[in-house]
Amino acid sequence: MGKSTKIIRKVPVVAIRGSVVFPYTDTILSFGRQKSVKAVNAAFQEDKVIAVFTQKDAKTSHPSQRDLYEIGTIATITQMMQSDGEIHAIVKGHNRIRLNKIVPHEAYLIGEVEEIKEDRVISPEVEVLAKKLTELFKKAVNLGKQAEIVTVMKLVSGQVEPVELVDQAASLLDIKTNEKQKLLETLTLKSRMKKVLEALAREINILDLEKTISQKTQKRFEDQMRKAMLREKKKTIEEELGQEGGELGLEEVSEYKKKILEAKMPKEVRKRAKKELKRLSQLSPHNPEGGYIRNYLDWLTDMPWSISTANNVSIKAAAKVLEDDHYGLRKAKERILEYLAVMRVKKDALEKIKTKLKIKGKDKTIKNEESQPTILCFIGPPGVGKTSIGKSIARALDRKFVRVSLGGIRDEAEIRGHRRTYVGALPGRIIQGIKNAGTKNPVFMLDEIDKIGIDFRGDPSSALLEALDPEQNREFSDHYLEVPFDLSEVMFIATGNVLDTIPVALRDRMEVISFPGYTEEEKYNITKKFLWPKQLRLHGLADEKIKLLSEAIREIINRYTREAGVRNLERNLAGACRKIARLVAEKKRYTKEIKITDVRKFLGPQKFSSLIAEKKDEVGMATGLAVTPTGGDIIFIEVALMPGKGKLLLTGQLGDVMKESAKAAFTWTKAHWEELGLKEDFGNALDVHIHVPEGAVPKDGPSAGVAMATSLVSALAGIPVKRDVGMTGEITLRGRVLEIGGVKEKIIAAHRAGLKTVILPKDNKKDLEDVPAKTKKDIKFVFTNRLEDVLKTAIKKWPPKNVKKVRKTLSTPSYIAAN
Ligand code: ADP
């Protein structure tokens, strides 16, 4: 055989782009390029044989041998059709060929080609692969692979020879041209089969994915369609219904009707509620106003229009409740009981009038204004039991208790509510409080009444006045509620720290009861009788019988707190209880008798380690007594001198009255230069700076006058003031000492600080009656109406016997010394 097996022939060549013609396949090709058209024509006129080669680059328009793949297919043209210079032909592939060379020819390409012998070895492996290929092809078609039905049927019949099968399948693959060309160039049957299988498997994967995606998309699309349709239907139904009954279900309407009935509203309010309900039921379903109206109806129906608790005031029972709940506070309790008694008497009188009138048959004309007493107002520092006594009053009267804080409110709307046109409008705090109480006659505590109206928009205090005024509050109007609510049965109690900042109009309506703060003795008893048992109870230690020894109580009072009330004291006791509770829970040993050492263990180091009196005396610093919002307190007034022109500098946020006191003190020293051992015109050569700590807290009032004058004299004379002498009193230009207020608070504070002597204006002697005897016992009181006496008591070795000597020894600055 030898060389003769190589068949070499010359045939017209067509270059094709974008596809590959395989043996055993029929392919439709279209030719537009002149050379191709001519080659096809020429071949068709002879033996119809043509060599088909794929171009390496589809963009090349006049390909030469280099531009063609080396392996192609020899084919016959079975049909041909010409139109508009283009030729469409069906070509049937036969065999792989190799292009040896292009022989020169003018009209078209002629190639010298060599036939490649087909590998037809059918091993068992090839057979298996062929079967697999048929299967996969079927699968691909099922997944939606596009192919001509005839071809498909032939391929899946299982009757096709593996050689043919693989090329036919390859020609149908959805892969790039260069990959197809590679398959054409794979000459062994087995590896070609494997490659085709691989490509087909990949295609199936993609088809599969595409199918699931398209199915999902389809489903989503259908869902959306369904929903859109349902929505449209719903709209139509709602529109139909809207003409009859609006959005409200019948159920909701009847629910509101029931609630309106149950609320037992006054007639006019009921009318209003029904009107709103009607409006609501006619609203279109999409109208956002529905929500507002519902909210409003809820408020209307939730108000306790006619719910009240029995109002049985038995003075005896009330006295017992107050006594049971609180230690001391004798004066406050008395005043409260008197108040309740008056309430009771008025009520009885009213009843009498009522019955009389009833007999006469004109029952309705009665106004029970008479039964409304003035409002109680508790004034005192924090933690003195104002709130807790308010609660006791409620308990004694069997009424509900509510508390509303007015601290920091600036806006009338806070009291009286926002109009309903505001988004998110609500009733004011009064109406909210009443709703929370759930009855129309609660004990209503208005906390921090001294903190309103300080910087206001609108006027909260005038709205408050209306709420408190018995003449007007029977028909209290809240902007949100719009209908009047009867507040006449509410028992209002206001509380605050100081009286001065309460607007005068409000103050006039109130009966002020002051809570001056507790002495150490009172705190001791409150702790023993109330706070300690209460904390034990709260911490689940009531059964443990733990005793707090007196020394421990006093330690906590003096070294861990410094306050007028008992709030921090209670906090510290709670702290100790927590520590014990933990020991109990951990089943560790704990003490049943708490001593000072235990207190230190539980609460850490002392917070106030030394008393004022234990510190050193200083020049230019006197101890004043003052009343602050947190109760009585001692303040140190400092004076510094410097060369200058007689200016008086005042710092520490002093109010006008306090400034004037300072000026009066300065003037007095100028007038008394001689006694003080100063030059006549000393005031022109120096500036005086008076400071009252703590700088950030505003202070006012005349009662620091005495202390300022004493500091000033001490500074000018260069002699220290006794630190343990506290003083209070207003001074005049002539050095007279005038009466001041808050004596009890001040003395309690002085006692707390450990002062030994207190200087008071003579006219305040009477106020000492209020001060507990035990406190008085520890303090020496000096009453006077002359500044000279104050100086004598407070400044060491005063008056200086030999002015000159004193001046020298005490290094008085030379610029103020007299000759
Ligand atoms: P305020 O309202 O004056 O700031 P609270 O009424 O809140 O003070 O009192 C603080 C705590 O001190 C409360 O637990 C209260 O029961 C208690 N308390 C105050 N004073 C007494 C007292 N005289 N007797 C018994 N407990 C008191």
Side-chain angles (χ1 to χ4, degrees):
M1 298 221 274
K3 271 199 164 186
S4 63
T5 48
K6 249 190 193 176
I7 304 162
I8 296 180
R9 39 195 302 196
K10 282 185 185 165
V11 279
V13 168
V14 284
I16 59 170
R17 320 186 249 200
S19 76
V20 175
V21 173
F22 280 88
Y24 317 109
T25 60
D26 292 310
T27 315
I28 301 173
L29 294 175
S30 302
F31 303 100
R33 286 182 286 191
Q34 270 309 306
K35 277 193 176 174
S36 305
V37 172
K38 282 183 181 160
V40 173
N41 270 330
F44 200 69
Q45 274 151 33
E46 288 186 25
D47 55 0
K48 299 186 179 159
V49 172
I50 196 166
V52 185
F53 288 94
T54 301
Q55 264 178 237
K56 289 177 187 165
D57 185 351
K59 278 177 248 147
T60 322
S61 31
H62 300 289
S64 58
Q65 184 172 357
R66 273 187 317 195
D67 301 316
L68 302 176
Y69 286 112
E70 199 194 349
I71 307 280
T73 306
I74 194 144
T76 45
I77 302 165
T78 53
Q79 269 184 52
M80 201 182 80
M81 197 179 91
Q82 233 166 346
S83 72
D84 295 344
E86 267 201 4
I87 289 187
H88 307 284
I90 300 179
V91 298
K92 192 176 182 63
H94 294 296
N95 220 330
R96 285 174 170 74
I97 47 173
R98 178 170 281 124
L99 179 61
N100 282 350
K101 63 173 176 200
I102 300 277
V103 287
H105 188 278
E106 284 187 3
Y108 48 90
L109 299 177
I110 292 185
E112 190 183 288
V113 299
E114 172 194 331
E115 245 176 68
I116 298 169
K117 197 156 173 349
E118 204 59 64
D119 169 13
R120 292 180 179 274
V121 182
I122 301 181
S123 63
E125 202 182 347
V126 167
E127 252 179 275
V128 173
L129 289 175
K131 223 176 182 171
K132 182 86 187 163
L133 189 56
T134 319
E135 246 170 57
L136 282 193
F137 195 76
K138 241 190 249 176
K139 193 167 175 189
V141 171
N142 282 338
L143 284 171
K145 182 168 175 58
Q146 303 288 325
E148 265 177 44
I149 188 77
V150 189
T151 326
V152 172
M153 282 172 69
K154 211 167 100 194
L155 278 180
V156 302
S157 67
Q159 308 292 322
V160 191
E161 283 286 306
V163 214
E164 292 181 25
L165 179 69
V166 70
D167 278 348
Q168 285 171 356
S171 78
L172 291 173
L173 283 176
D174 190 9
I175 54 177
K176 285 191 200 129
T177 314
N178 63 344
E179 290 174 46
K180 271 195 179 164
Q181 175 68 29
K182 271 192 192 125
L183 291 174
L184 186 71
E185 289 171 8
T186 310
L187 299 181
T188 51
L189 181 56
K190 194 173 88 185
S191 47
R192 186 154 73 242
M193 210 135 209
K194 277 188 180 163
K195 283 184 186 168
V196 171
L197 267 173
E198 243 168 57
L200 193 55
R202 238 180 294 134
E203 210 178 313
I204 285 175
N205 273 345
I206 292 169
L207 285 169
D208 202 15
L209 199 65
E210 271 174 3
K211 192 169 173 185
T212 20
I213 290 174
S214 75
Q215 275 172 350
K216 275 189 187 157
T217 320
Q218 175 71 14
K219 183 155 183 335
R220 206 173 311 140
F221 177 71
E222 280 169 8
D223 273 357
Q224 276 171 3
M225 280 294 288
R226 219 187 79 218
K227 277 187 191 151
M229 233 166 70
L230 286 176
R231 256 196 296 275
E232 280 308 306
K233 272 192 191 164
K234 183 175 166 227
K235 227 185 198 166
T236 324
I237 292 172
E238 279 169 355
E239 269 164 23
E240 289 289 318
L241 283 181
Q243 285 159 7
E244 311 160 9
E247 146 186 57
L248 266 205
L250 278 181
E251 210 174 301
E252 200 178 356
V253 173
S254 66
E255 186 113 318
Y256 270 124
K257 273 190 182 150
K258 200 170 129 210
K259 267 170 109 181
I260 292 172
L261 208 71
E262 279 168 359
K264 297 217 180 75
M265 303 165 166
K267 213 158 121 199
E268 139 199 21
V269 180
R270 193 169 53 232
K271 239 161 89 189
R272 181 61 198 266
K274 283 187 171 160
K275 205 170 120 200
E276 290 290 326
L277 183 58
K278 191 165 172 221
R279 206 153 78 84
L280 177 63
S281 63
Q282 284 170 347
L283 271 191
S284 114
H286 304 294
N287 197 332
E289 208 172 322
Y292 302 144
I293 299 182
R294 273 197 192 88
N295 204 7
Y296 178 67
L297 276 174
D298 287 340
W299 270 98
L300 275 192
T301 50
D302 284 348
M303 288 303 289
W305 295 103
S306 43
I307 306 171
S308 52
T309 43
N311 190 16
N312 292 322
V313 194
S314 145
I315 301 304
K316 230 170 142 189
K320 185 165 181 311
V321 171
L322 292 184
E323 214 47 58
D324 284 353
D325 291 353
H326 295 91
Y327 174 85
L329 296 176
R330 191 177 43 84
K331 236 183 168 170
K333 285 177 191 165
E334 257 170 38
R335 294 275 298 277
I336 290 168
L337 290 174
E338 281 163 18
Y339 175 91
L340 297 181
V342 172
M343 215 161 95
R344 165 96 238 181
V345 173
K346 277 186 173 172
K347 191 176 166 231
D348 288 349
L350 192 78
E351 291 296 324
K352 258 187 215 155
I353 301 172
K354 264 189 185 168
T355 34
K356 255 191 209 162
L357 284 172
K358 247 183 207 159
I359 295 166
K360 288 185 185 164
K362 38 180 174 172
D363 168 26
K364 280 181 189 157
T365 51
I366 266 280
K367 277 194 181 175
N368 73 344
E369 245 150 57
E370 307 286 316
S371 70
Q372 179 67 45
T374 42
I375 287 124
L376 284 178
C377 176
F378 298 163
I379 294 294
V384 289
K386 301 183 297 295
T387 311
S388 103
I389 220 159
K391 284 185 190 158
S392 287
I393 293 176
R395 195 159 82 87
L397 299 181
D398 249 337
R399 296 206 201 182
K400 284 268 166 50
F401 178 81
V402 272
R403 207 176 141 196
V404 159
S405 176
L406 303 177
I409 68 168
R410 281 164 274 126
D411 201 341
E412 189 198 1
E414 300 262 4
I415 304 281
R416 211 202 272 283
H418 283 285
R419 296 195 185 279
R420 279 214 283 148
T421 42
Y422 279 80
V423 174
L426 275 182
R429 298 198 188 185
I430 305 274
I431 290 298
Q432 289 187 23
I434 298 286
K435 185 189 152 193
N436 287 344
T439 63
K440 58 188 278 202
N441 65 342
V443 171
F444 197 125
M445 194 162 249
L446 299 161
D447 272 347
E448 305 197 302
I449 197 159
D450 54 337
K451 310 261 176 358
I452 57 160
I454 291 167
D455 102 57
F456 48 84
R457 306 175 242 152
D459 188 359
S461 65
S462 78
L464 200 56
L465 260 180
E466 193 190 314
L468 300 182
D469 184 358
E471 301 283 326
Q472 303 178 51
N473 71 5
R474 185 178 318 286
E475 302 220 318
F476 177 70
S477 69
D478 183 280
H479 289 328
Y480 180 84
L481 223 49
E482 288 173 2
V483 285
F485 190 90
D486 180 3
L487 294 177
S488 62
E489 288 174 50
V490 179
M491 177 173 177
F492 285 106
I493 300 178
T495 79
N497 296 134
V498 287
L499 204 52
D500 335 336
T501 54
I502 303 177
V504 182
L506 268 177
R507 216 187 309 168
D508 282 351
R509 292 283 145 82
M510 301 189 293
E511 177 164 348
V512 175
I513 300 183
S514 65
F515 288 62
Y518 296 121
T519 63
E520 182 188 328
E521 214 43 46
E522 285 169 326
K523 285 183 186 174
Y524 173 81
N525 283 306
I526 293 172
T527 307
K528 213 168 161 149
K529 298 197 174 110
F530 292 93
L531 302 182
W532 182 244
K534 178 172 151 199
Q535 289 305 325
L536 286 179
R537 231 175 18 252
L538 287 179
H539 288 82
L541 297 170
D543 298 336
E544 309 287 331
K545 303 251 171 339
I546 298 165
K547 236 179 111 185
L548 189 61
L549 293 185
S550 306
E551 56 168 41
I553 299 181
R554 286 189 201 277
E555 174 79 3
I556 299 178
I557 293 173
N558 290 322
R559 302 292 182 171
Y560 287 85
T561 64
R562 186 157 290 169
E563 56 176 352
V566 292
R567 215 169 257 180
N568 282 322
L569 177 56
E570 194 170 18
R571 231 170 260 154
N572 277 294
L573 296 173
C577 282
R578 274 200 303 276
K579 293 278 182 342
I580 300 171
R582 184 165 165 194
L583 292 175
V584 173
E586 288 175 351
K587 300 222 165 22
K588 287 194 181 143
R589 256 167 44 89
Y590 62 92
T591 172
K592 293 255 178 190
E593 276 193 353
I594 299 176
K595 295 181 278 297
I596 291 190
T597 47
D598 298 313
V599 169
R600 293 198 187 141
K601 217 161 58 201
F602 291 150
L603 303 179
Q606 298 176 341
K607 304 221 169 69
F608 301 95
S609 52
S610 62
L611 293 176
I612 309 309
E614 294 161 6
K615 290 191 181 154
K616 220 179 100 225
D617 299 336
E618 277 181 53
V619 174
M621 189 195 285
T623 310
L625 301 175
V627 180
T628 69
T630 53
D633 209 348
I634 58 167
I635 48 175
F636 297 105
I637 293 175
E638 300 169 351
V639 174
L641 305 176
M642 54 219 142
K645 296 199 174 101
K647 264 198 298 187
L648 182 61
L649 192 69
L650 300 164
T651 54
Q653 292 218 38
L654 312 186
D656 287 342
V657 180
M658 210 163 192
K659 280 184 188 157
E660 280 161 17
S661 295
K663 284 178 196 155
F666 194 30
T667 306
W668 184 86
T669 56
K670 283 184 190 165
H672 292 253
W673 57 276
E674 221 163 357
E675 289 154 48
L676 304 178
L678 304 171
K679 272 194 208 165
E680 187 174 1
D681 57 352
F682 76 93
N684 299 335
L686 58 93
D687 285 346
V688 174
H689 183 171
I690 302 184
H691 177 69
V692 186
E694 292 140 33
V697 184
K699 310 161 193 82
D700 204 5
S703 73
V706 166
M708 284 199 266
T710 308
S711 298
L712 187 54
V713 169
S714 155
L716 289 170
I719 312 177
V721 188
K722 296 181 200 158
R723 205 181 241 275
D724 60 1
V725 176
M727 58 196 82
T728 177
E730 178 174 353
I731 54 160
T732 66
L733 287 178
R734 291 159 179 266
R736 290 204 313 122
V737 175
L738 304 182
E739 185 179 1
I740 43 77
V743 172
K744 186 177 174 190
E745 287 89 337
K746 287 173 178 172
I747 291 181
I748 291 171
H751 187 255
R752 184 162 64 225
L755 301 186
K756 297 285 179 309
T757 310
V758 168
I759 303 173
L760 289 174
K762 215 171 204 160
D763 294 337
N764 280 111
K765 202 165 182 175
K766 58 182 191 321
D767 297 320
L768 229 53
E769 265 176 43
D770 288 346
V771 181
K774 276 201 176 161
T775 309
K776 279 191 281 196
K777 204 180 74 199
D778 296 335
I779 297 177
K780 183 179 154 219
F781 291 94
V782 174
F783 297 98
T784 179
N785 48 15
R786 291 175 59 239
L787 187 59
E788 281 87 348
D789 293 336
V790 176
L791 300 176
K792 218 187 282 170
T793 317
I795 298 185
K796 283 182 162 177
K797 303 183 197 146
W798 193 266
K801 284 197 188 74
N802 181 338
V803 172
K804 267 185 189 161
K805 202 174 144 215
V806 171
R807 243 181 288 130
K808 265 183 207 143
T809 51
L810 289 169
S811 68
T812 310
S814 59
Y815 52 87
I816 51 172
N819 292 320

